[in-house]
Amino acid sequence: MPEDPPYVDPDAAPAPEEPQAPDPTPKTDEVPE
Amino acid sequence: MSDIFVKQLDGCTYKSGGFNCTCASHGMWMYRASGGTLRKTACQVRTATGDTSGGTNLEQMQSVSSHFGVSRGTLYRPGLFANIRQLVLSGRHGAHFQIGYRLLANTQWDCFSGGFTGAHDLYVAGGDGNNAHYADPGADGRRPGIPNGYQNIPWAFLERACSALPLAPGVTLGQEFGSGRVYSLVTPADPIASGIHITMQIDGYTPLYYSPGGMRDGAVTKATYITTRSLVDHIWWYRIISKADGAKTANAGKFFKPTRYTRPI
């Protein structure tokens, strides 16, 4: 049986460029009012 | 695609609005990603994170999108600023941009009267060759001299602010990854509407959706609507504009796809 083709999310924008950070994006800081 | 402004300082009791810039931006982001049907305040987004500690990040916003049934978008960690600018300039994408506010403090774009230089989040809705058209969640006009709503800022200046994003004490995004990069979360592409109005008759149970392929939002069993249609992932989705006689409908902006109960008339 041939394998199914990989699923591609039609909503997806082009793939991110390398390098990708190993850590999550930073949390933002508190702003004054 | 139209955009809305969502402010961060909204009196949230779940977590003080001072921490909710990313959540406010995500209210704007999800409105865009849902085709203008999902409206959430910064406080509602913050509550959906389940997180009451400090600020929030873009990964948490992807989880909030899933919670509300909209696309998680594409996360660039980081991406090339020039490429993301091109996506925005296509007119079919909005995006979170994380910035270091140090560059905006005490400029015409400053929403915090010189009192803030930390990590902040903006929603960029569009732009032209020179400027980004963006919303700072602090731009609520709460005092004279504080911007109110969307502003324009030169792309080159915004790029430098993105590079100045603090990642750790003494370390910026630009120092870690090189210049010309940005942490960004980009919306799915807006559907391309045909521009042609199609009158659709519904004679049986037909689910409605916030967006093509998105979260279910009720259903109708008998109605006639004026619609536009868009081809998304090989399926024609119909977006409700009005009732057949042009009168307003509470279902305006919602989507449905063809069923055996729908037909053009």
Side-chain angles (χ1 to χ4, degrees):
Chain A
M1 288 285 286
E3 289 185 16
D4 289 336
Y7 176 73
V8 178
D9 182 352
D11 282 343
E17 309 88 352
E18 295 295 333
Q20 295 288 289
D23 301 319
T25 55
K27 286 190 168 187
T28 47
D29 296 314
E30 182 183 17
V31 302
E33 298 213 7
Chain B
M1 181 62 225
S2 62
D3 288 284
I4 57 170
F5 178 76
V6 177
K7 64 180 181 179
Q8 68 177 103
L9 299 170
D10 62 2
C12 190
T13 54
Y14 184 79
K15 181 67 181 179
S16 168
F19 291 98
N20 296 345
C21 58
T22 308
C23 296
S25 289
H26 205 59
M28 299 183 253
W29 191 102
M30 289 197 297
Y31 182 82
R32 175 73 170 257
S34 67
T37 56
L38 188 67
R39 252 180 208 270
K40 296 295 173 189
T41 65
C43 192
Q44 288 171 315
V45 172
R46 182 71 201 219
T47 303
T49 66
D51 179 8
T52 56
S53 173
T56 52
N57 66 17
L58 297 179
E59 286 82 353
Q60 289 176 293
M61 297 305 108
Q62 290 194 293
S63 298
V64 170
S65 290
S66 295
H67 173 81
F68 287 116
V70 301
S71 168
R72 293 167 66 86
T74 302
L75 178 60
Y76 294 83
R77 204 176 71 185
L80 289 173
F81 186 93
N83 289 357
I84 294 165
R85 179 181 60 198
Q86 281 308 114
L87 287 173
V88 171
L89 288 177
S90 75
R92 297 185 62 203
H93 298 273
H96 285 267
F97 279 50
Q98 288 193 322
I99 66 166
Y101 217 77
R102 180 174 57 79
L103 264 71
L104 270 68
N106 297 308
T107 69
Q108 69 186 89
W109 300 285
D110 185 1
C111 297
F112 307 105
S113 307
F116 179 59
T117 58
H120 196 52
D121 187 275
L122 310 175
Y123 171 69
V124 180
D128 59 24
N130 298 317
N131 293 300
H133 185 62
Y134 80 103
D136 183 325
D140 58 7
R142 62 196 177 279
R143 286 193 299 275
I146 290 185
N148 194 0
Y150 280 78
Q151 304 177 81
N152 294 324
I153 191 170
W155 285 110
F157 189 75
L158 179 60
E159 181 175 337
R160 291 203 300 276
C162 292
S163 279
L165 173 72
L167 298 182
V171 180
T172 65
L173 182 78
Q175 289 165 341
E176 184 76 14
F177 293 101
S179 60
R181 290 185 176 272
V182 56
Y183 277 141
S184 180
L185 180 60
V186 179
T187 65
D190 297 336
I192 298 174
S194 67
I196 298 169
H197 287 187
I198 302 166
T199 303
M200 293 292 290
Q201 184 170 318
I202 298 172
D203 285 316
Y205 185 85
T206 300
L208 300 178
Y209 298 83
Y210 272 119
S211 61
M215 187 167 66
R216 282 277 303 277
D217 184 27
V220 291
T221 53
K222 190 164 185 62
T224 305
Y225 293 126
I226 296 173
T227 69
T228 57
R229 69 175 188 173
S230 309
L231 191 60
V232 180
D233 194 21
H234 311 298
I235 296 173
W236 284 107
W237 286 84
Y238 292 84
R239 186 169 198 255
I240 297 168
I241 298 173
S242 67
K243 294 179 181 176
D245 61 1
K248 287 184 179 177
T249 166
N251 287 327
K254 296 179 183 177
F255 292 81
F256 63 90
K257 53 187 175 180
T259 71
R260 60 196 168 111
Y261 301 117
T262 63
R263 65 186 179 92
I265 58 173

